[in-house]
Amino acid sequence: MKNILNNVVSLIVVMIVLLLIIPLSPFFLDVMIILNIAVSLIILLVSMNIKEALEFSIFPSLLLITTLYRIGINISSTRSILSNSGTAGQVIQSMGDFVLQGNVVVGVIIFLIIVLVQFLVITKGAERVAEVAARFTLDAMPGKQMAIDADLGSGLITEDEAKERRYKIQKEADFYGSMDGATKIVKGDATMSLIITAVNFLGGCVIGMVQGTMGFTEVLQVYSIATIGDGLVSQIPALLISTATGMIVTRAVAEDSLNIDVTRQFGAQPKAIMIAGGVLAILIAIPGMPKFQLAVIALTMMLGGWYLLRRMEEFSRVPEPAMAPGGGMSPTDIEQMQMEDEENFKDINSVYDLLSVEPIEMEFGYSLIPLVDEASGGRMIDRIVIFRRQYAQEMGLVIPSIRLRDSSSLNTNQYVIKIKGEEVAKGEILVDYYLALEPPNLEKEIDGIDTIEPAYGIPSKWITVDKKEMAEIYGYTVIDPLSVMLTHLSETVKKHAHELLNRPEVVRLVENMKRQAPELVEELIPQLISYGNFQKILTNLLKEGIPIKDMETIMETIVDSSMTVRDLDSITENIRVALKRTITRKFCEGNSMRVVTLDAELEKTIITSLTNGDHGVYLALSPEVMQGVITQMTEEVRKFQELGQVPIILTSQVVRVHFYRLVEQFFPDVFVLSFNEISNNIQIQAVGNIAV
């Protein structure tokens, strides 16, 4: 029994196909026609009571089944009409008599009007709406996916909720794509109805005149009734299905069922109803107009609108505080408000609410709001979502949500980037211009407003839109304002990423590793290292631009190193060696790497200058040596800038961390690597050497 219920739809489809070839008696034909009308009514009512199209996702398949069912009934009724002298059951006979009323011409006209209304108005409109809905749904999919990723990244939704929303978006795209094709079925059904009606009438007349004993008038009467009745009992359900199709594809912006939406939205406009009633009342003055009917409808509309308007005013009225006789608040109310304020200030939690600091903030001047505001077409949020995702995939750190807000204290074209409440970078953007970065070998200069690119400090010009193509021909790199601002934001976040790695994020990273390697995490934390020291190691890596994505290798190296050393700097250096493939990939171009090396004597000097202090080992170089190193570093960094590459200093593993701390305060964009951190198959090209 259960198997039969599971396959009931398949059995119904098979039975519908059999209708095309098996003759039906008039009794069963009446049953099939009545079921057709009932199913069509149900489909129409369901389409009017759903909130969104996906609640009736089987509609495209149902549309095909009902159309096939209707064609099967048409073929059976045609066979019955042509073989039984115009007899095809009581439903067809009654419908034909009711519509014709003894006048064949009127009946034919009414039938044609119904078919043409369905074909030209409802079906054609539903087909166009379905086509547009399918195209726009597919075009909107990437934006919806990025919005889900943004909500997931900011913690507004869980992973399960994100999966559910992605599944819903995919189902929605599939549904509207199916509806685009399904509307073509409705269109073909309307065309086929006209053909079947013509065949019934002409074929019936020929059969009646040639094979029958009826006269021409009688043949015309009998077969016109049967033909019109058959056409109507098929076209009325088809009209209902076409209307349901239009209902389904136009539910894109619905908030509730159609009944509730219509009632709510008409009820929200009482003035429009009252004005319409007033216009109808004016029409009474036209001679010959039905005054009684106009008066009743106009009065009903004006009274109904007035009633709705009063209800809206009652709901919107807010109770006002009790007033003293002189017009002010009563002393009792004033005293109560003062007591509430005092209680609020006594509650220490209300003060703590003011102390929260956003990890990352970006404030804008008034002119830059259109670049950020999605309602104005701004794509800043979408681009930030993409950046956060890419950075997490590359570095293994999830950047916290970035708070975007406008600020009246800034100039209209300015923006400010803050880390933990403090300004770390700022810039100025001309919204209607493009930023043209000057090439290294400038052949011809283009007119524009001189400026400095905020992220990398490259000399640039703000140029108008009409000069964009010419600037590219001259060799300039042309960037739109949004990309300039986003690049500055991304570079600033990368530079301060180590400050954004807080203790809760470290705990989340560890918990994530527990799902992959629980034994490793159990061995490491807290037996060998605390969360605090683990955070310091990760911070050291991020500060020098080393990805922490390979968390398993990092943890295994800490476990192995903890057996022999306890110094966090030494453990970090061992981790860097373990991550040599990652470091090589990040800083190597092709199979070669341009670097600046340290002279052997300078390395010896650095090693002999290492001193143990209360806070560990530190470098104590003489001022003369330090000054010489900084001077030479300035010249070597300039060489890399001319080459358009990141400055890299190559040292031995022993002195690497100490030399980095020496030059980092003067050259924050310089990377210091050790020989042990470079893969063996890389060709090293020394472009300079720093000596004592």
Side-chain angles (χ1 to χ4, degrees):
M1 184 66 182
K2 185 177 180 181
N3 292 333
I4 295 176
L5 292 175
N6 291 337
N7 294 282
V8 65
V9 176
S10 302
L11 294 174
I12 290 174
V13 173
V14 173
M15 291 175 61
I16 290 172
V17 174
L18 293 177
L19 285 176
L20 302 174
I21 56 176
I22 298 177
L24 292 178
S25 66
F27 174 81
F28 284 108
L29 192 57
D30 287 341
V31 172
M32 294 298 178
I33 292 171
I34 293 170
L35 283 176
N36 187 24
I37 296 173
V39 170
S40 303
L41 278 172
I42 292 172
I43 292 174
L44 177 63
L45 293 174
V46 169
S47 67
M48 295 177 65
N49 285 279
I50 59 174
K51 294 182 181 180
E52 55 183 22
L54 288 182
E55 293 183 23
F56 202 18
S57 59
I58 63 169
F59 186 78
S61 301
L62 201 59
L63 189 62
L64 174 60
I65 294 173
T66 54
T67 302
L68 186 62
Y69 180 47
R70 201 159 49 248
I71 292 174
I73 294 174
N74 269 345
I75 293 174
S76 295
S77 62
T78 297
R79 181 185 295 110
S80 182
I81 290 171
L82 298 180
S83 61
N84 295 328
S85 301
T87 303
Q90 295 181 10
V91 176
I92 292 176
Q93 180 71 29
S94 301
M95 189 66 71
D97 289 336
F98 178 76
V99 174
L100 289 179
Q101 297 289 320
N103 193 324
V104 176
V105 177
V106 173
V108 171
I109 292 174
I110 292 175
F111 171 74
L112 289 176
I113 289 174
I114 292 175
V115 174
L116 291 175
V117 164
Q118 179 199 348
F119 182 75
L120 297 177
V121 180
I122 300 177
T123 304
K124 196 71 174 177
E127 179 186 8
R128 179 58 179 162
V129 172
E131 180 183 346
V132 173
R135 187 171 71 247
F136 278 92
T137 301
L138 291 173
D139 291 344
M141 278 188 67
K144 292 179 179 179
Q145 294 281 10
M146 287 190 291
I148 294 173
D149 294 338
D151 291 344
L152 178 62
S154 59
L156 296 177
I157 59 175
T158 63
E159 185 67 33
D160 292 337
E161 291 172 332
K163 290 180 180 178
E164 184 179 349
R165 286 172 59 177
R166 291 192 190 101
Y167 176 75
K168 184 177 179 181
I169 289 173
Q170 184 61 50
K171 290 284 288 183
E172 190 178 53
D174 294 341
F175 175 81
Y176 281 107
S178 300
M179 284 301 300
D180 186 22
T183 51
K184 306 295 189 298
I185 300 174
V186 180
K187 181 180 179 181
D189 179 45
T191 306
M192 195 64 197
S193 297
L194 290 172
I195 297 173
I196 291 176
T197 302
V199 169
N200 281 347
F201 185 71
L202 296 176
C205 289
V206 170
I207 292 172
M209 293 294 295
V210 175
Q211 299 179 0
T213 58
M214 295 182 290
F216 177 75
T217 305
E218 189 178 358
V219 167
L220 192 65
Q221 181 71 19
V222 170
Y223 283 99
S224 62
I225 291 175
T227 301
I228 298 301
D230 180 43
L232 287 173
V233 296
S234 65
Q235 282 309 297
I236 289 175
L239 183 63
L240 296 176
I241 295 292
S242 298
T243 306
T245 304
M247 293 283 186
I248 290 289
V249 297
T250 55
R251 299 297 290 163
V253 293
E255 297 178 0
D256 218 308
S257 68
L258 182 63
N259 299 316
I260 296 175
D261 281 348
V262 169
T263 304
R264 182 192 299 121
Q265 294 180 24
F266 268 97
Q269 303 296 332
K271 292 182 180 179
I273 299 174
M274 293 173 66
I275 293 172
V279 172
L280 291 181
I282 295 173
L283 295 179
I284 297 175
I286 299 177
M289 293 291 285
K291 295 180 173 50
F292 176 76
Q293 294 92 322
L294 281 172
V296 171
I297 296 175
L299 183 62
T300 302
M301 293 179 68
M302 287 191 288
L303 289 176
W306 176 75
Y307 172 74
L308 290 173
L309 186 62
R310 283 197 58 187
R311 286 196 63 186
M312 289 178 63
E313 291 175 350
E314 290 175 1
F315 283 129
S316 62
R317 189 176 296 120
V318 180
E320 297 180 357
M323 305 296 288
M329 295 184 65
S330 64
T332 305
D333 290 335
I334 294 174
E335 183 179 353
Q336 182 177 356
M337 289 184 64
Q338 290 175 344
M339 291 177 62
E340 290 176 355
D341 289 341
E342 290 176 2
E343 291 298 325
N344 187 46
F345 286 121
K346 289 178 182 178
D347 183 10
I348 193 169
N349 291 326
S350 64
V351 180
Y352 279 116
D353 293 339
L354 305 175
L355 304 181
S356 60
V357 176
E358 295 289 341
I360 312 173
E361 292 179 84
M362 196 169 187
E363 297 181 353
F364 307 89
Y366 177 77
S367 297
L368 306 185
I369 293 178
L371 297 177
V372 184
D373 185 15
E374 290 182 311
S376 303
R379 298 186 61 248
M380 182 71 171
I381 296 177
D382 293 340
R383 299 278 294 275
I384 288 177
V385 170
I386 296 172
F387 161 67
R388 292 180 69 220
R389 188 180 187 87
Q390 291 175 342
Y391 189 81
Q393 291 175 337
E394 178 186 353
M395 298 296 293
L397 173 67
V398 178
I399 297 297
S401 299
I402 301 173
R403 171 64 67 88
L404 306 176
R405 63 177 70 178
D406 59 331
S407 175
S408 58
S409 61
L410 297 175
N411 293 336
T412 55
N413 295 323
Q414 280 188 334
Y415 64 88
V416 168
I417 303 171
K418 294 182 177 181
I419 301 293
K420 296 185 177 180
E422 297 297 330
E423 178 183 324
V424 294
K426 67 188 305 182
E428 191 165 350
I429 296 292
L430 300 183
V431 177
D432 298 326
Y433 289 72
Y434 280 88
L435 186 69
L437 306 182
E438 292 185 1
N441 301 315
L442 182 61
E443 297 180 359
K444 193 170 182 180
E445 191 171 343
I446 195 168
D447 293 334
I449 303 172
D450 291 329
T451 185
I452 298 295
E453 195 276 332
Y456 303 107
I458 302 173
S460 312
K461 291 180 181 291
W462 287 108
I463 60 174
T464 54
V465 178
D466 59 306
K467 297 178 181 177
K468 178 176 180 291
E469 294 184 4
M470 188 59 65
E472 291 174 343
I473 294 173
Y474 291 165
Y476 286 86
T477 301
V478 183
I479 309 174
D480 63 275
L482 178 59
S483 297
V484 173
M485 191 162 56
L486 186 69
T487 301
H488 195 190
L489 172 64
S490 62
E491 290 301 317
T492 302
V493 170
K494 291 176 183 178
K495 188 179 296 184
H496 296 272
H498 62 284
E499 300 180 40
L500 302 173
L501 181 66
N502 53 22
R503 194 67 55 81
E505 181 62 24
V506 173
V507 174
R508 279 193 287 268
L509 292 174
V510 172
E511 292 297 322
N512 183 57
M513 274 302 300
K514 281 183 180 180
R515 294 194 291 269
Q516 303 176 30
E519 297 84 1
L520 176 61
V521 175
E522 185 177 353
E523 182 182 2
L524 177 65
I525 298 176
Q527 280 75 14
L528 298 179
I529 193 172
S530 65
Y531 276 105
N533 286 336
F534 187 53
Q535 179 183 354
K536 290 177 182 177
I537 292 174
L538 298 181
T539 300
N540 289 339
L541 295 172
L542 287 172
K543 188 175 183 180
E544 297 192 53
I546 307 302
I548 60 172
K549 187 176 181 180
D550 190 1
M551 191 63 67
E552 186 171 355
T553 299
I554 293 174
M555 288 186 170
E556 288 177 349
T557 306
I558 295 175
V559 171
D560 296 339
S561 301
S562 297
M563 298 177 182
T564 56
V565 295
R566 288 290 179 182
D567 179 47
L568 295 183
D569 288 338
S570 300
I571 294 176
T572 303
E573 294 304 303
N574 292 339
I575 293 173
R576 292 173 65 99
V577 173
L579 296 175
K580 65 164 55 179
R581 282 194 300 270
T582 302
I583 295 175
T584 302
R585 173 188 56 79
K586 185 174 178 62
F587 297 103
C588 179
E589 295 182 1
N591 286 324
S592 64
M593 180 184 295
R594 291 189 177 94
V595 300
V596 173
T597 58
L598 297 188
D599 185 73
E601 290 299 324
L602 177 58
E603 289 203 358
K604 290 180 181 179
T605 303
I606 292 175
I607 292 173
T608 56
S609 300
L610 295 178
T611 306
N612 286 316
D614 295 336
H615 301 287
V617 180
Y618 65 93
L619 182 61
L621 283 176
S622 65
E624 295 79 11
V625 174
M626 186 178 297
Q627 182 64 40
V629 169
I630 299 304
T631 302
Q632 294 177 71
M633 276 290 301
T634 304
E635 181 63 25
E636 299 300 335
V637 168
R638 185 184 59 79
K639 291 181 183 179
F640 278 95
Q641 290 176 345
E642 292 175 354
L643 294 172
Q645 295 182 358
V646 177
I648 298 176
I649 312 298
L650 200 58
T651 72
S652 64
Q653 185 177 0
V654 179
V655 303
R656 193 210 68 81
V657 64
H658 305 291
F659 188 77
Y660 166 74
R661 289 173 180 168
L662 169 65
V663 300
E664 179 253 344
Q665 52 187 324
F666 302 102
F667 307 98
D669 297 327
V670 170
F671 292 95
V672 181
L673 308 179
S674 72
F675 289 97
N676 295 345
E677 299 168 7
I678 308 300
S679 297
N680 299 331
N681 60 339
I682 300 301
Q683 181 181 359
I684 297 175
Q685 180 182 355
V687 297
N689 184 263
I690 300 176
V692 180

